Amino acid sequence: MLLLGIDLGTSSIKVSLVDGATRQTLATTQFPDSERSIISLQTGWAEQDPELWWEDVKAAVRRLHQTGKFKSADIGAIGISYQMHGLVLVGKDGKALRNSIIWCDSRAIPYGDEALQAMGADYCLQHLLNAPGNFTAAKLAWVKVNEPDIFGKIYKILLPGDYIAQRLTGTMTTTPSALSEGIFWDFTAGKISERVMDYFGFPDDIIPDIQPVCSDHGRLTKAVAEELSLTEGIPVCYKAGDQLNNALSLNVMEPGEVAATAGTSGVIYGISDQLTFDPQSRINSFAHVNHGNDLTRVGVLLCINGTGILNKWIRQLTGAQDYETMNDLAQKVAPGSEGLAVFPFGNGAERMLNNKMPGAGLQAIDLNQHSAAHVIRASQEGIAFAFRYGLDIMRANGMAPAVIRAGRANMFLSPVFAEAFVNATNIPIELCDNNGSVGAALGAGIGYGYFKTPADAFLEEDRLEVLEPTRAADYEHWYQSWKEKLERQLMY
């Protein structure tokens, strides 16, 4: 059986087709070719049009057909990975009522902070595992106050993956995992938090039917099947947030296992069998894809919003032709960037900085010494140092990885970034061949029951390379200098 995976990213849609019997990827495509933009109507706001996501999904699937590497009649299940924390509001017709308020939007912070004070930090952390912050529930509260006409038209609230699934199937469902990333889920009670719903004044019926991550979320409609040259009735068997899906694609499923990614956002994501939380909610805990009332599997997540967007901004600023050219230029500068420091915090509020928005920045510029190559290298080192800063918070909360698994993709394609990451964290990294849409396809196989257990989806070794720290002491010195500059900036 063939498995179709869809990865709804911030920049583009990726789709892959995997042969379930061999676990081999038959074809992968992407749409659009250039990075999709974020709508920012005010400072700190971030939106995208869900209808554009849907058009991009269809275009990516059509490209997949054009590869000619499979028979569409052999596709038996569909899985979806999606950008986390986005709010999609739909009417009864399933169409979006407004743009999605996406993951890096910061407008709802005051609503989340007020909820924390009203409901109490003890309740929020012990039951929700997080402060409400600017997650999905707080974003919905912003809409309720500022756009009451739209709020009154809401039939259901959906996460981005829920939205794409319902466009495929006509069925609206969500998952405990999705609700946990929106800060709607009471882990202690194992259900939607009545206290959250009551505090914000949300009607219960705006939440779709709740299904496990790996389960039947609807069947492909006749109209969509005809439009996309697929078979009517194919089930959507898996929906997971991108970081949870990245962990699944790296076979990070059990306590102590840790995954990382450095794409649009930078993330370290570790698995715990405890209902764990950070007292300051600088790192966050969500229900992993295999979490259930009878099996505690919590994903502890560190997020750096400004990772990929900084790399893109530096590319535009320096006029580099492509990212490979940037990486080549970065290698011409000595480690430490001769004192230049870059801070990757210019894409909304950073949770690990207590929801502060210090902005991205460059410090200690020597106009006689530093070149574009220095800026490129310092930006990649700065992102690696931000990972280390967050990892120390995770360590203080009991997460102590002995090894980190990551896909050899995005910024991990840069030797400079990979070296800085492994030495700044002083943790070996296993680089693997993976991508989000392949993970979603394997998730579909798990949800369909094609694989008897999640482990059965990963019979083949996918490790490409292991990177060991070789200059940890040097990078510790440069990191401490970077950290001192950052903490001085955060004081103001």
Side-chain angles (χ1 to χ4, degrees):
M1 184 170 77
L2 302 185
L3 307 168
L4 175 62
I6 300 170
D7 183 18
L8 166 56
T10 309
S11 302
S12 66
I13 304 293
K14 294 180 182 177
V15 295
S16 291
L17 203 66
V18 173
D19 185 331
T22 64
R23 284 67 161 178
Q24 297 300 305
T25 303
L26 302 182
T28 296
T29 59
Q30 174 179 313
F31 192 88
D33 295 319
S34 58
E35 297 176 42
R36 184 65 71 192
S37 61
I38 293 173
I39 302 166
S40 185
L41 301 176
Q42 295 187 32
T43 300
W45 289 24
E47 300 182 356
Q48 288 185 324
D49 181 359
E51 183 63 26
L52 196 55
W53 295 341
W54 175 234
E55 293 301 321
D56 288 350
V57 167
K58 293 190 290 184
V61 171
R62 293 188 186 105
R63 279 190 173 181
L64 199 69
H65 284 296
Q66 292 170 6
T67 66
K69 295 180 179 180
F70 62 93
K71 295 180 180 179
S72 62
D74 294 334
I75 298 174
I78 299 172
I80 299 171
S81 167
Y82 59 88
Q83 50 171 290
M84 297 171 68
H85 315 304
L87 174 66
V88 185
L89 308 175
V90 299
K92 288 186 177 180
D93 62 358
K95 299 295 181 63
L97 297 172
R98 69 176 320 283
N99 285 339
S100 171
I101 302 176
I102 66 170
W103 58 278
C104 54
D105 188 286
S106 303
R107 76 186 73 180
I109 290 173
Y111 298 84
D113 289 347
E114 289 172 8
L116 179 68
Q117 294 299 317
M119 291 188 289
D122 287 346
Y123 170 80
C124 290
L125 295 177
Q126 292 175 15
H127 289 256
L128 310 175
L129 307 187
N130 302 283
N134 63 325
F135 291 109
T136 316
K139 292 170 182 173
L140 181 59
W142 183 93
V143 173
K144 183 172 182 281
V145 172
N146 294 276
E147 298 176 346
D149 290 346
I150 289 176
F151 186 85
K153 297 176 183 177
I154 297 172
Y155 176 61
K156 300 293 180 186
I157 64 168
L158 303 173
L159 274 291
D162 299 331
Y163 177 76
I164 294 302
Q166 74 90 15
R167 292 303 299 265
L168 290 167
T169 67
T171 301
M172 298 185 193
T173 70
T174 193
T175 68
S177 179
L179 292 169
S180 77
E181 68 180 77
I183 320 301
F184 289 102
W185 191 252
D186 186 326
F187 282 85
T188 302
K191 63 180 184 179
I192 294 173
S193 169
E194 295 177 4
R195 195 161 177 179
V196 167
M197 299 297 284
D198 289 344
Y199 169 76
F200 284 121
F202 299 152
D204 293 338
D205 61 3
I206 64 172
I207 303 293
D209 291 340
I210 303 170
Q211 297 277 100
V213 170
C214 297
S215 65
D216 191 333
H217 293 281
R219 305 296 177 106
L220 200 65
T221 65
K222 180 179 180 180
V224 171
E226 290 177 349
E227 187 176 5
L228 297 182
S229 301
L230 297 172
T231 303
E232 180 185 359
I234 299 173
V236 173
C237 296
Y238 170 87
K239 294 187 299 185
D242 51 9
Q243 300 309 324
L244 289 67
N245 179 72
N246 180 64
L248 177 138
S249 70
L250 293 166
N251 197 17
V252 170
M253 302 288 284
E254 299 302 326
E257 296 175 341
V258 178
T261 184
T264 304
S265 60
V267 170
I268 297 178
Y269 184 89
I271 309 301
S272 174
D273 58 2
Q274 305 295 316
L275 297 182
T276 185
F277 56 83
D278 173 47
Q280 298 182 50
S281 208
R282 296 165 298 175
I283 57 177
N284 300 107
S285 299
F286 307 115
H288 194 38
V289 296
N290 54 343
H291 177 80
N293 290 338
D294 58 347
L295 182 72
T296 300
R297 292 292 182 268
V298 173
V300 182
L301 183 148
L302 156 75
C303 182
I304 306 161
N305 290 353
T307 301
I309 195 169
L310 171 65
N311 207 35
K312 175 184 175 182
W313 188 83
I314 293 294
R315 176 187 162 196
Q316 294 171 336
L317 181 71
T318 60
Q321 181 178 355
D322 50 36
Y323 292 115
E324 185 175 353
T325 300
M326 287 176 63
N327 297 338
D328 289 343
L329 286 170
Q331 289 183 281
K332 299 181 184 300
V333 175
S337 303
E338 297 189 270
L340 182 62
V342 175
F343 304 106
F345 303 123
N347 190 28
E350 292 285 357
R351 292 195 293 278
M352 74 174 189
L353 302 180
N354 298 108
N355 277 331
K356 291 182 179 180
M357 291 191 289
L362 289 80
Q363 284 195 26
I365 303 170
D366 186 328
L367 299 176
N368 296 307
Q369 183 179 28
H370 293 143
S371 64
H374 286 83
V375 174
I376 294 169
R377 182 172 192 113
S379 68
Q380 296 195 14
E381 290 179 344
I383 293 168
F385 293 154
F387 271 102
R388 162 64 188 280
Y389 189 91
L391 182 61
D392 284 350
I393 298 172
M394 298 183 80
R395 285 167 167 153
N397 282 273
M399 185 67 65
V403 64
I404 294 174
R405 302 195 85 195
R408 191 160 71 181
N410 299 315
M411 294 201 67
F412 281 107
L413 292 170
S414 166
V416 167
F417 174 76
E419 176 189 281
F421 184 100
V422 73
N423 283 287
T425 62
N426 199 21
I427 299 174
I429 298 178
E430 296 178 353
L431 292 179
C432 308
D433 184 10
N434 85 309
N435 73 51
S437 55
V438 170
L442 294 173
I446 296 169
Y448 185 86
Y450 184 83
F451 304 121
K452 292 182 180 179
T453 69
D456 291 339
F458 304 96
L459 295 181
E460 301 298 325
E461 176 61 67
D462 63 352
R463 187 171 67 181
L464 301 175
E465 185 179 7
V466 178
L467 302 179
E468 299 280 353
T470 58
R471 300 189 62 179
D474 291 336
Y475 276 88
E476 180 68 18
H477 169 73
W478 297 318
Y479 167 70
Q480 291 297 336
S481 175
W482 178 94
K483 179 183 175 183
E484 181 181 353
K485 293 181 177 69
L486 171 65
E487 293 185 339
R488 280 204 306 267
Q489 181 179 347
L490 293 175
M491 292 175 61
Y492 300 101

